[in-house]
Amino acid sequence: MSADYATFGLAPAMRAGGVLVNGDYQVHRDFMDFVVDGRPLLYQLSGLDAVSPLAADVPPAIFTAQVRSLLLEAQAPLPEGRYVIYGCPECESLECGAVTAVIERAGDDFVWRDFAWQTTATADLDLNGYHGIGPFRFRGREYRAALEQLLAAGDEEPPPRRRVLLIGARVDVLAKLAAALRTINIGADITADAADVPPDELRAYGAVAFGRAVDERVRAGTRAAFERAGADVAYVDGLAPIVPLLVAQIEAALDRSPLEQRRLTRLVAAEGEAGVEVTSTCHVQLIAYRLDRLHRTHAHEVFDDVLEPGKHRIALDGRATKGRSYVVARTTGAVLVAPMIR
């Protein structure tokens, strides 16, 4: 065991939800990620779609139990002193696979070691061990302070559910969009004008999405109402009446994590290419959406592979660049949207 210490912290993170190209839904999850030596631990697990046990939508009693478990105040849930570090964001079942590690005391310190991918009660380190990760030795005071702060926060009023206010002229599109957002655990309400909405209600929203037909008078009145309410919201200008595209725009707007903690940091689309920048090795998917002359929606998966850290130029096929088209980039915990520039 190395005597070198790693720093330990926690940071808000999300697993972006969305409507996938095959029509399936991907659930939105907010959680606290483990930050080791200044970087999210999840980033060391290339392309893994997972969340920590410290998720915002679990019942308070279960959340508290998870924190106390990481503090070693409860028996390990798995044999050999193993704890779940990241699990399936859809069902949280071990059968779907989870990243586990042994957590133990070393004097006053806490040690995380023997990371593994696990689908049964016991881990096979030779076959499924993450041999390049850890062991990490954390100073006890720093480790306990970070986790105990979550317990103190649990005594306060929980934050309002993530919600978005939808304003637009096409009620059919807004209704479909609201249904899609609710399916991925984002609350959505529809209104024609927010000027008369009570301030307490306005402060419950994290974003406002405007349809293309909303005039400047309504936009200005909405912004003024939120300013009077002291509500810090993100404003989204809908690019096109394409529900999966609008969901992706709203997901991107709701991501308030610091830029340095994001895995996907840049997306541009121009002249038949997409420019993508990632900060760590991760699995990236690019989906192109377009409207044809009859206003029918077409979706094409144009890229699905692992990218190394840095800037990348990805060629888009002709189907993705016809007419008015848009590109959505997804990776674990992040989504970005860009219109195709010609």
Side-chain angles (χ1 to χ4, degrees):
M1 175 67 63
S2 170
D4 292 341
Y5 283 98
T7 62
F8 179 86
L10 298 165
M14 76 166 186
R15 186 264 198 158
V19 184
L20 305 182
V21 70
N22 62 359
D24 290 342
Y25 289 93
Q26 180 171 286
V27 175
H28 178 101
R29 300 293 302 280
D30 291 300
F31 63 99
M32 298 300 292
D33 198 5
F34 307 109
V35 180
V36 178
D37 286 337
R39 292 279 291 170
L41 181 59
L42 187 59
Y43 287 10
Q44 297 189 41
L45 307 168
S46 301
L48 181 66
D49 183 18
V51 300
S52 84
L54 306 177
D57 54 355
V58 301
I62 295 177
F63 185 91
T64 298
Q66 294 286 5
V67 174
R68 297 203 178 281
S69 179
L70 294 171
L71 287 166
L72 302 185
E73 295 177 2
Q75 186 175 356
L78 298 171
E80 301 175 342
R82 302 192 71 84
Y83 295 78
V84 174
I85 306 301
Y86 296 106
C88 173
E90 298 288 343
C91 68
E92 303 179 33
S93 170
L94 185 62
E95 286 74 18
C96 287
V99 177
T100 68
V102 173
I103 302 180
E104 61 187 8
R105 287 271 182 84
D108 191 47
D109 301 333
F110 289 78
V111 175
W112 289 18
R113 62 174 176 85
D114 296 340
F115 288 81
W117 178 254
Q118 197 166 338
T119 56
T120 60
T122 57
D124 187 332
L125 292 178
D126 292 332
L127 184 63
N128 296 314
Y130 286 100
H131 302 294
I133 300 180
F136 301 117
R137 183 174 186 137
F138 306 116
R139 289 181 173 85
R141 180 179 297 179
E142 178 184 63
Y143 183 88
R144 285 192 297 271
L147 289 167
E148 288 173 354
Q149 187 174 8
L150 296 179
L151 297 178
D155 296 332
E156 302 171 359
E157 277 296 310
R161 183 185 177 201
R162 290 169 62 96
R163 293 172 64 193
V164 59
L165 186 63
L166 309 177
I167 301 176
R170 295 189 58 174
V171 177
D172 58 333
V173 174
L174 295 181
K176 292 177 182 177
L177 175 57
L181 289 167
R182 292 167 187 151
T183 300
I184 63 171
N185 289 349
I186 294 178
D189 300 304
I190 300 171
T191 187
D193 192 335
D196 296 326
V197 178
D200 286 347
E201 290 187 26
L202 294 180
R203 286 191 286 269
Y205 294 103
V208 178
F210 295 113
R212 290 165 59 91
V214 177
D215 62 37
E216 187 53 39
R217 179 189 62 81
V218 173
R219 292 171 188 258
T222 299
R223 290 189 176 94
F226 276 92
E227 288 175 5
R228 288 193 300 270
D232 179 22
V233 297
Y235 294 99
V236 178
D237 291 318
L239 290 172
I242 301 172
V243 170
L245 178 70
L246 295 171
V247 169
Q249 280 192 266
I250 291 168
E251 281 279 73
L254 288 173
D255 185 0
R256 300 298 186 90
S257 61
L259 187 62
E260 63 271 14
Q261 293 180 2
R262 299 186 190 185
R263 180 174 270 175
L264 178 62
T265 57
R266 179 175 175 268
L267 171 66
V268 294
E271 302 298 332
E273 286 187 338
V276 178
E277 185 172 1
V278 296
T279 58
S280 64
T281 302
C282 58
H283 183 270
V284 175
Q285 181 187 51
L286 298 182
I287 301 173
Y289 296 94
R290 66 179 179 89
L291 291 173
D292 63 20
R293 288 179 293 179
L294 298 177
H295 297 282
R296 294 173 299 191
T297 299
H298 299 267
H300 305 284
E301 184 181 283
V302 294
F303 182 80
D304 190 351
D305 207 345
V306 174
L307 294 179
E308 296 297 321
K311 298 179 180 179
H312 303 270
R313 295 172 64 178
I314 300 170
L316 305 176
D317 65 36
R319 296 177 302 167
T321 59
K322 293 179 180 179
R324 286 190 296 158
S325 53
Y326 312 88
V327 178
V328 174
R330 289 187 175 279
T331 189
T332 304
V335 58
L336 290 177
V337 180
M340 178 63 68
I341 301 172
R342 291 178 174 79

